Amino acid sequence: MLKVKYFGHSAFLLDNGKEKIIIDPFIPDKNLATEEDLKVNYIVLTHGHSDHFGNALELAKNNDATIISVYELANYCGSQDVKAHGMCVGGSHDFSFGKVKLTIAHHSSSHEGQYMGSAVGAIITIDSKNVYHCGDTGLFYDMKLIGELTPIDLMLVPIGDNYTMGVDDAAKAVEFCNPKAVIPMHYNTFPLINADSDLFADKVKKIGKKAIIVKPGETIEI
Ligand code: NI
Ligand code: MN
């Protein structure tokens, strides 16, 4: 079983009992992450914006963990004396826990005003489960292709609107990608991205798919 813990915003921890991978470690309520949670082996970053980058450098340093991200962002992290592995869209690579493949995401990416390459999504394969973290993105039709090439067990999709898809487009994204289950993310962190996750769940149910509303701090198993 793969444990998936949600920390709020776009931050998730994948734990197979042997290794821990944290994705976009911006954790709005620090109390929701235990000391054990933060003993991670890898950090996957979808882009450089502070609401995703979080304290990635500190996490990497504390654990001698490797940051996995797009090339430019990985180079920046490497220049800050942490281990980093750079990739680009469409590329996949095997790590000790499984595989990461980067996908497109329609968004921007910078860190402290510096250009950080493309924003991406990531398909993380661990314990024979494919988890697709969309990153920050608008809707795109190739989500259909992504789901066709890699059957997705769990899709993590932004619904907060303004910077990413809103509820309607996110439901369409689920229809395109056709995952076994979906968790909404990137909403209700601050007023500008408030969204109704129940409405999203309803829309997803109407197309015969399953949305799991996970509260920050909760863990599910897939
Ligand atoms: Ni962003
Ligand atoms: Mn964001």
Side-chain angles (χ1 to χ4, degrees):
M1 290 297 251
L2 178 67
K3 282 186 185 161
V4 180
K5 180 167 179 177
Y6 183 44
F7 294 116
H9 205 58
S10 294
F12 289 86
L13 183 73
L14 307 180
D15 181 356
N16 68 353
K18 291 178 222 104
E19 289 184 288
K20 289 201 206 73
I21 298 105
I22 196 165
I23 314 165
D24 284 358
F26 168 76
I27 301 173
D29 180 356
K30 299 264 182 290
N31 296 319
L32 298 181
T34 66
E35 223 172 283
E36 202 53 40
D37 286 341
L38 299 180
K39 286 180 186 158
V40 296
N41 304 90
Y42 292 90
I43 300 149
V44 174
L45 296 176
T46 61
H47 61 296
H49 292 158
S50 57
D51 64 315
H52 297 259
F53 194 88
N55 61 348
L57 295 175
E58 199 187 310
L59 272 178
K61 271 181 199 148
N62 291 347
N63 297 293
D64 197 30
T66 301
I67 292 177
I68 302 168
S69 70
V70 87
Y71 176 76
E72 285 81 0
L73 184 55
N75 276 353
Y76 167 75
C77 293
S79 77
Q80 304 299 304
D81 288 329
V82 303
K83 287 198 278 184
H85 181 98
M87 302 173 64
C88 270
V89 169
S92 59
H93 185 77
D94 289 323
F95 296 90
S96 53
F97 60 86
K99 196 162 91 168
V100 174
K101 184 176 186 183
L102 298 187
T103 71
I104 56 169
H106 292 308
H107 195 66
S108 60
S109 179
S110 58
H111 185 72
E112 289 171 356
Q114 250 181 288
Y115 168 74
M116 285 293 154
S118 308
V120 296
I123 302 168
I124 300 169
T125 304
I126 175 169
D127 277 21
S128 329
K129 295 278 178 1
N130 296 317
V131 179
Y132 172 30
H133 190 296
C134 297
D136 278 1
T137 186
L139 178 64
F140 56 91
Y141 193 68
D142 281 2
M143 282 178 170
K144 215 170 154 63
L145 183 63
I146 289 170
E148 266 174 39
L149 294 178
T150 312
I152 301 299
D153 295 285
L154 180 65
M155 185 180 190
L156 310 172
V157 69
I159 66 163
D161 218 341
N162 195 77
Y163 297 111
T164 68
M165 294 183 269
V167 165
D168 288 334
D169 285 5
K172 196 73 192 170
V174 175
E175 188 182 331
F176 284 160
C177 184
N178 195 29
K180 281 207 184 110
V182 58
I183 297 175
M185 63 173 181
H186 209 272
Y187 69 105
N188 292 2
T189 319
F190 40 87
L192 188 55
I193 59 167
N194 280 353
D196 184 347
S197 54
D198 290 335
L199 179 64
F200 171 72
D202 278 353
K203 286 177 185 289
V204 166
K205 201 174 169 191
K206 279 198 184 105
I207 53 168
K209 296 273 115 197
K210 187 170 88 171
I212 308 169
I213 311 295
V214 185
K215 289 199 191 80
E218 282 182 356
T219 303
I220 62 154
E221 288 191 0
I222 60 164

